[in-house]
Amino acid sequence: MLIAILTAAAMLASDSAPQQFDLLCTGLQDFSKRRPEAKDDIRFRVDLKNRRYCLSTCRDTRVLNVYPQHLAFDETDAMLGGSRLQTRMSVDRMTGAYTSIAYMSGRLMEDTKGQCSVQPYTGPVLGERLF
């Protein structure tokens, strides 16, 4: 398993692998409720080389944390009005599994899962106007 992860990471870091691509995440379900709740699809526009991404309409670009096992689109651990907010939104680099989880003061607020697939890159190019 470790060899497969290292091989995939090496391929993604190589010049021959695409460094810019979209991830379309579908079939999203929030399991934090009594009954799973369907959520809208999400499109990430990913630039691995510059470690940036944007969502949907690309109004702004954000920092992408790249790990051998997953791409982390959001990792937050902050205090908000006296309550601790912890979030993590990521995609598994081997399976494409999407996970978004959020806790507020230890209470589960969101537990969304889905599946992502690689799509052709739709921008923006670094330096391009976003709107």
Side-chain angles (χ1 to χ4, degrees), residues 25 28 69-71 73 89-100 112-117:
C25 304
L28 303 180
Q69 303 87 356
H70 65 276
L71 300 176
F73 296 95
M89 182 173 24
S90 62
V91 174
D92 185 290
R93 293 179 78 172
M94 298 297 288
T95 66
Y98 169 87
T99 303
S100 180
T112 300
K113 300 190 182 321
Q115 187 64 40
C116 301
S117 60

Side-chain angles (χ1 to χ4, degrees), residues 73-118:
F73 296 95
D74 179 26
E75 294 179 301
T76 303
D77 191 348
M79 293 301 290
L80 266 166
S83 297
R84 184 176 183 189
L85 173 65
Q86 297 171 291
T87 65
R88 180 172 178 204
M89 182 173 24
S90 62
V91 174
D92 185 290
R93 293 179 78 172
M94 298 297 288
T95 66
Y98 169 87
T99 303
S100 180
I101 194 157
Y103 290 93
M104 179 68 84
S105 296
R107 182 172 167 240
L108 182 64
M109 303 301 288
E110 178 187 7
D111 183 14
T112 300
K113 300 190 182 321
Q115 187 64 40
C116 301
S117 60
V118 175

Side-chain angles (χ1 to χ4, degrees), residues 29-106:
Q29 296 271 329
D30 184 351
F31 293 96
S32 66
K33 316 290 188 262
R34 279 192 179 174
R35 293 186 178 157
E37 182 179 298
K39 296 187 81 173
D40 292 337
D41 296 347
I42 297 175
R43 179 177 291 271
F44 295 98
R45 291 165 170 88
V46 178
D47 184 337
L48 279 182
K49 181 180 177 186
N50 294 301
R51 294 180 181 255
R52 304 291 293 175
Y53 78 96
C54 61
L55 287 166
S56 303
T57 59
C58 270
R59 294 224 180 251
D60 63 347
T61 60
R62 303 171 186 180
V63 175
L64 173 66
N65 294 313
V66 180
Y67 301 101
Q69 303 87 356
H70 65 276
L71 300 176
F73 296 95
D74 179 26
E75 294 179 301
T76 303
D77 191 348
M79 293 301 290
L80 266 166
S83 297
R84 184 176 183 189
L85 173 65
Q86 297 171 291
T87 65
R88 180 172 178 204
M89 182 173 24
S90 62
V91 174
D92 185 290
R93 293 179 78 172
M94 298 297 288
T95 66
Y98 169 87
T99 303
S100 180
I101 194 157
Y103 290 93
M104 179 68 84
S105 296

